[in-house]
């Protein structure tokens, strides 16, 4: 009995730890999706962020997350300009809280859903608070998600105050190199982040109720009252670590986003009787049947069939004569196990099945399994059983299928169902069903699908073409705009290499651009592509290199500059014509100037000759007048004009 209780406690402890890790991993995917949105857009406006978060429906599918936000880096002296920009986007009363004097300031500009709690955080400078700043600096320098220490969120009021923490994912400037800490610091533009209220986060976390078991979650590697983040049952003022009266206890470390949490699990008085009381009543006594049950259960969990088979055979041999082991298997199994007879009547339902279906075992045992099946399969289920019993033909047995389980309250729960058959010595059959809850997976799949849909819609709504290629240049994706430009179908483009589209550049030129992008992270250049019908396409190309995916990718945006090139060509032709006219007119004027200079030289020479002769004539007339006067005769020539001239 003690060994069974100890095994049960060990399983419960690991289950709590794994549940916490799984939930935190789920929430990290939301933050990574937000970073991808910023990478896919030149700028993310408030309405785009709001649409993205609404598509995730985090309040319904991700309990405990207070919101999804973006905090922008504000350079010193730019606070007033920043506030004016945010107000222009529709947040009329926006005001940042940064003092605008530190080397690095931030402000929360987006936080959705924008309920009354989250409105309190808009504009807050998280970098001004030491605990938050430590996590933000760690995220900035590593490029990875970073978990903060325990804080009281800005969203808290005086009512129902909960411990909180935050997760940050850095957003770097598009095209910037981030290979070193210095480069990451220089390229930082902000943070996609989420605030969490711990009590809300832990709601619904456990797969099954914990009877006479308590656990405490600490924010540090060394538990202390000050670092207590969450208490499952005992309150902080009623508990001291470790629990000296506990029959069993276990301390586990959780490494989450660069920070260590300590999980301390311990039993409460009454644990042993409760463990005995919870053993399933309606459990068969044939151990071979449970060996088969164990085989199917392990096969449903294993990703590698051969390893599962070996493990199953080993455990089956160990449990062959152990009825207690079969009891423990059903009770501790995290997945639902339901056993029915040939008439479809439920004979066994384990604790996980009670948690999943909403029915207690004593309520559901004896009912037809149709109680758990929604229409239209409910009405046809008896015929499925009859067909198998008559022909041995089963469409789902041994295969597995995603179906829906009808909860006691009428809601539908997505599950993966696997069915095994046990043939008993009396010739009858017993059907063993294994059901795994897919609710979280469906939520994540839907969130990812919504994110991909939003991303695809944004890309296809762009008037710029987009091509994504691998390191060899093989095209992996093309948006609608590029298909429209080129005339190629989406399917045709995905069979081509980017070099197939270049009309002028050689393969070496294409490789050169890729090398530049590898070194700088991005490149801006012009290129000519040839459309399917042969005409040339003039593009301005913005190429970016990313290694954030499993394989490095080249993302190229193509802006149509055909009209601009045509205008430039026309302008260039006009300039050439104008230059030719200017050259011709200049030559003509030069020729005319040469002729004028020749005429001027001739006239100047002639003028000098004429002026010389005129002077000689005047002097002769003066001599004649003087001679006449001497002879007593009047002057022959009138030379009075000589007194009025300036010669």
């Amino acid at each position: 009995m003690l060994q069974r209780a100890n095994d049960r406690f060990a399983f419960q402890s690991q289950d709590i730890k794994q549940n916490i890790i799984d939930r935190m991993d789920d929430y990290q995917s939301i933050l990574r999706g937000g970073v991808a949105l910023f990478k896919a857009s030149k700028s993310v406006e408030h309405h785009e962020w709001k649409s993205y978060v609404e598509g995730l429906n985090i309040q319904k599918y991700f309990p405990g997350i207070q919101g999804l936000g973006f905090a922008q880096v504000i350079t010193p002296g730019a606070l007033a300009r920043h506030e004016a920009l945010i107000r222009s986007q529709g947040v009329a009363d926006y005001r940042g809280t940064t003092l605008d004097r530190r080397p690095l300031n931030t402000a929360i500009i987006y936080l959705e859903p924008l309920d009354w709690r989250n409105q309190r955080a808009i504009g807050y400078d998280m970098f001004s608070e030491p605990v938050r700043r430590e996590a933000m600096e760690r995220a900035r320098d590593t490029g990875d998600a970073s978990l903060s220490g325990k804080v009281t969120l800005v969203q808290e009021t005086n009512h129902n105050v909960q411990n909180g923490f935050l997760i940050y994912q850095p957003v770097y400037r598009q095209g910037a190199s981030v290979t070193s800490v210095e480069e990451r610091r220089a390229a930082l533009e902000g943070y996609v982040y989420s605030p969490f209220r711990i009590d809300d986060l832990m709601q619904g976390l456990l797969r099954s109720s914990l009877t006479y078991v308590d656990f405490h979650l600490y924010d540090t590697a060394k538990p202390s009252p000050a670092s207590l983040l969450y208490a499952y049952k005992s309150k902080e003022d009623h508990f001291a670590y470790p629990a000296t009266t506990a029959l069993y206890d276990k301390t586990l470390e959780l490494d989450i986003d660069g920070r260590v949490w300590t999980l301390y699990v311990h039993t409460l008085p009454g644990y042993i009787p409760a463990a005995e009381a919870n053993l399933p009543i309606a459990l068969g006594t044939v151990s071979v049947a449970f060996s088969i049950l164990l085989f199917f259960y392990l096969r449903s969990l294993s990703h590698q069939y051969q390893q599962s088979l070996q493990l199953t055979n080993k455990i089956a041999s160990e449990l062959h004569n152990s009825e207690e082991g079969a009891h423990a298997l059903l009770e501790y199994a995290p997945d639902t196990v339901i056993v029915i007879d040939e008439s479809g009547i439920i004979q066994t339902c384990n604790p996980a099945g009670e948690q999943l279906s909403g029915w207690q075992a004593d309520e559901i045992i004896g009912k037809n399994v149709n109680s758990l099946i929604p229409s239209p399969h409910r009405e046809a289920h008896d015929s499925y059983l009859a067909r198998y019993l008559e022909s041995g033909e089963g469409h789902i047995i041994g295969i597995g299928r995603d179906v829906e389980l009808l909860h006691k309250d009428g809601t539908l729960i997505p599950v993966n169902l696997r069915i095994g058959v046990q043939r008993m010595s009396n010739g009858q059959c017993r059907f063993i069903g294994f059901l795994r809850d897919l609710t979280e997976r469906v939520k994540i799949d839907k969130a990812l699908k919504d994110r991909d849909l939003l991303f695809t819609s944004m890309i296809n709504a762009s008037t710029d073409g987009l091509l994504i290629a691998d390191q060899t240049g093989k095209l992996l994706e093309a948006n609608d705009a590029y298909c429209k430009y080129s005339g190629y179908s989406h399917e045709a483009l995905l069979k081509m290499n980017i070099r197939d589209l270049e009309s002028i550049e050689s393969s070496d030129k294409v490789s050169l651009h890729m090398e530049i992008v590898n070194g700088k992270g991005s490149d801006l250049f012009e290129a000519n592509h040839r459309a399917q019908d042969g005409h040339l396409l003039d593009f301005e190309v913005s190429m970016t290199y990313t290694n954030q995916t499993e394989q490095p990718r080249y993302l190229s945006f193509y802006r149509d500059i055909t009209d601009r090139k045509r205008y430039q060509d026309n302008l260039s032709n006009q300039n050439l014509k104008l230059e030719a006219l200017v050259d011709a007119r200049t030559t003509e004027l030069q020729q005319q100037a040469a002729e004028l200079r020749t005429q001027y030289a001739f006239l100047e020479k002639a003028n000098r000759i004429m002026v010389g002769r005129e002077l000689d004539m005047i002097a002769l007339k003066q001599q004649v007048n003087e001679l006449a006067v001497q002879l007593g005769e009047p002057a022959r020539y009138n030379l009075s004009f000589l007194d009025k001239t300036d010669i």
Side-chain angles (χ1 to χ4, degrees):
M1 182 176 68
L2 290 177
Q3 182 60 45
R4 184 166 59 246
N6 184 54
D7 293 342
R8 172 190 168 109
F9 174 74
F11 177 86
Q12 290 171 323
S13 300
Q14 289 295 333
D15 193 46
I16 296 169
K17 174 182 177 180
Q18 193 59 47
N19 287 345
I20 295 173
I21 292 174
D22 289 346
R23 176 157 289 188
M24 298 306 294
D25 287 344
D26 292 343
Y27 291 166
Q28 287 176 25
S29 65
I30 303 177
L31 271 69
R32 288 193 291 269
V35 173
L37 180 62
F38 276 89
K39 287 184 177 181
S41 177
K42 292 183 179 179
S43 64
V44 177
E45 304 297 334
H46 179 260
H47 69 278
E48 294 174 308
W49 187 257
K50 179 179 175 66
S51 297
Y52 171 67
V53 179
E54 286 179 348
L56 294 174
N57 200 356
I58 58 176
Q59 291 177 309
K60 180 177 180 182
Y61 295 119
F62 299 92
I65 187 170
Q66 181 60 31
L68 186 62
F70 176 69
Q72 187 176 57
V73 170
I74 305 173
T75 56
L79 178 59
R81 185 167 63 253
H82 163 76
E83 289 178 338
L85 176 62
I86 300 302
R87 289 169 186 163
S88 70
Q89 296 180 5
V91 188
D93 57 349
Y94 174 80
R95 186 168 183 266
T97 64
T98 175
L99 297 178
D100 204 23
R101 291 198 297 264
R102 296 187 306 276
L104 179 62
N105 307 279
T106 67
I108 300 171
I109 62 173
Y110 306 146
L111 184 56
E112 295 292 338
L114 197 59
D115 54 22
W116 66 272
R117 284 187 182 273
N118 285 339
Q119 287 176 4
R120 297 164 58 92
I122 295 298
Y124 176 59
D125 181 8
M126 293 184 286
F127 209 76
S128 64
E129 194 276 315
V131 176
R132 293 173 173 85
R133 182 170 63 247
E134 186 277 331
M136 296 170 80
E137 289 177 335
R138 180 158 29 94
R140 174 198 63 192
D141 292 349
T142 63
D144 297 325
S146 178
L147 179 73
S148 80
K150 183 175 75 172
V151 298
T152 299
L153 298 178
V154 180
Q155 290 91 330
E156 294 293 351
T157 62
N158 294 328
H159 176 67
N160 188 28
V161 177
Q162 300 181 20
N163 292 327
F165 62 91
L166 306 100
I167 301 179
Y168 298 95
Q169 189 85 36
V171 175
Y172 299 110
R173 187 173 62 255
Q174 285 191 9
S177 175
V178 289
T179 57
S180 66
V181 172
E182 291 73 17
E183 289 178 337
R184 286 192 282 270
R185 291 180 177 179
L188 182 68
E189 288 196 334
Y191 299 87
V192 171
Y193 84 101
S194 285
F196 296 85
R197 305 177 80 216
I198 188 65
D199 292 357
D200 295 342
L201 178 69
M202 302 301 287
Q203 291 297 319
L205 178 69
L206 304 176
R207 294 192 178 100
S208 60
S209 61
L210 296 176
T211 305
Y212 299 103
V213 173
D214 192 11
F215 71 87
H216 298 74
L217 190 62
Y218 293 90
D219 175 48
T220 57
K222 294 183 178 180
S224 69
S227 67
L228 180 62
L229 190 62
Y230 176 77
Y232 179 53
K233 291 181 179 178
S234 304
K235 299 302 179 183
E236 183 175 358
D237 55 349
H238 295 157
F239 177 77
Y241 172 85
T244 56
T245 60
L247 179 62
Y248 303 114
D249 67 343
K250 186 176 288 291
T251 301
L252 304 169
E253 284 192 354
L254 291 76
D255 188 354
I256 300 177
D257 293 337
R259 191 173 184 88
V260 175
W261 279 355
T262 300
L263 175 67
Y264 179 67
V265 189
H266 64 93
T267 59
L268 298 173
Y271 182 75
I272 290 294
E276 286 297 300
N278 286 333
L279 286 175
I281 299 174
L283 189 65
T285 60
V286 182
S287 61
V288 176
F290 289 101
S291 297
I292 298 174
L293 182 150
L294 178 63
F295 169 76
F296 282 105
Y297 171 66
L298 288 176
R299 190 175 65 175
S300 70
L301 293 177
S302 177
H303 296 291
Q304 299 181 7
Y305 177 76
Q306 290 299 327
Q307 292 181 357
S308 174
L309 182 60
Q310 294 171 3
L311 181 61
T312 300
N313 291 334
K314 178 181 178 181
I315 297 177
S317 63
E318 293 175 355
L319 295 181
H320 184 71
N321 295 313
S322 174
E323 186 175 338
E324 288 187 353
H327 280 276
L329 172 64
L330 281 183
E331 184 175 3
Y332 300 157
D335 289 346
T336 294
V337 179
I338 294 177
V339 181
I340 66 173
D341 62 16
E342 291 184 350
S343 300
I345 303 302
I346 298 175
Q347 296 181 336
T348 301
C349 177
N350 71 339
E354 295 177 330
Q355 182 74 16
L356 182 66
S357 68
W359 296 90
Q360 294 299 312
D362 56 1
E363 294 179 302
I364 196 67
I365 290 174
K367 288 181 176 292
N368 193 296
V369 75
N370 291 346
S371 304
L372 303 177
I373 303 174
S375 296
H377 297 292
R378 172 189 294 177
E379 292 75 13
H381 187 261
D382 289 343
S383 65
Y384 297 161
L385 284 176
R387 180 186 62 200
Y388 178 79
L389 294 172
E390 181 179 349
S391 65
E393 178 186 356
H395 291 171
I396 190 173
I397 292 174
I399 299 175
R401 179 180 299 171
D402 291 348
V403 297
E404 289 181 317
L405 175 78
L406 182 62
H407 192 272
K408 182 178 180 180
D409 62 11
T411 59
L412 297 179
I413 302 174
V415 296
N416 179 264
L417 171 64
R418 288 178 177 268
I419 299 177
V421 180
Q422 175 201 355
R423 297 191 178 276
M424 297 182 293
S425 58
N426 60 5
Q428 293 186 335
C429 291
R430 182 178 292 176
F431 300 91
I432 308 167
F434 303 87
L435 296 88
R436 171 167 295 181
D437 187 357
L438 301 181
T439 302
E440 291 299 323
R441 194 192 77 180
V442 170
K443 291 177 184 177
I444 295 172
D445 288 346
K446 183 179 184 303
L448 293 175
K449 186 179 295 183
D450 290 343
R451 185 195 67 183
D452 291 342
L453 180 61
L454 176 61
F455 175 78
T456 302
S457 299
M458 292 171 58
I459 292 300
N460 285 330
S462 172
T463 57
D464 291 345
L466 169 68
L467 295 178
I468 301 178
D470 64 14
Q471 288 182 297
T472 67
K474 184 182 184 304
L475 296 179
L476 305 174
E477 190 53 75
N479 70 343
D480 293 346
Y482 191 88
C483 293
K484 182 178 179 181
Y485 286 143
S486 66
Y488 287 104
S489 67
H490 183 266
E491 293 74 16
L493 286 171
L494 298 190
K495 297 178 181 178
M496 301 173 68
N497 191 290
I498 195 170
R499 294 174 175 82
D500 300 333
L501 300 169
E502 295 286 351
S503 64
I504 296 177
E505 290 198 340
S506 65
S507 178
D508 292 340
K509 287 287 187 66
V510 176
S511 299
L512 177 61
H513 285 309
M514 289 184 172
E515 290 178 5
I516 294 174
V517 172
N518 287 343
K520 295 170 51 182
S522 63
D523 191 18
L524 183 66
F525 55 93
E526 292 184 3
N528 296 99
H529 285 194
R530 190 171 297 281
Q532 188 178 32
D533 62 7
H535 77 276
L536 292 181
L537 302 168
D538 295 308
F539 288 124
E540 181 183 72
V541 184
S542 174
M543 181 180 286
T544 303
Y545 172 78
T546 177
N547 56 4
Q548 299 299 314
T549 54
E550 183 177 352
Q551 297 294 331
R553 298 285 186 263
Y554 294 93
L555 282 70
S556 301
F557 288 90
Y558 294 84
R559 175 157 295 177
D560 184 11
I561 58 172
T562 303
D563 292 339
R564 188 177 80 186
K565 293 288 288 185
R566 186 182 299 114
Y567 172 78
Q568 290 175 341
D569 291 342
N570 290 339
L571 183 61
S572 178
N573 291 335
Q574 293 295 330
N575 287 338
L576 291 175
K577 292 179 181 179
L578 183 59
E579 290 175 359
L581 289 174
V582 170
D583 290 343
R585 184 58 178 163
T586 300
T587 301
E588 182 181 346
L589 291 175
Q590 288 174 345
Q591 292 175 350
Q592 292 177 358
E595 293 176 358
L596 289 174
R597 283 195 293 271
T598 301
Q599 294 175 8
Y600 175 77
F602 173 78
L603 292 175
E604 184 180 22
K605 182 176 180 180
N607 183 58
R608 286 198 299 270
I609 294 172
M610 293 297 293
V611 169
R613 291 182 178 178
E614 183 67 23
L615 291 176
D616 291 343
M617 183 61 70
I618 291 173
L620 180 59
K621 289 181 178 180
Q622 285 178 334
Q623 291 177 3
V624 171
N625 284 346
E626 290 175 358
L627 182 59
V629 171
Q630 292 176 4
L631 295 176
E633 295 180 2
R636 297 276 186 96
Y637 301 101
N638 183 9
L639 300 176
S640 60
F641 68 88
L642 294 175
D643 298 332
K644 300 176 182 180
T645 182
D646 294 330
I647 299 177

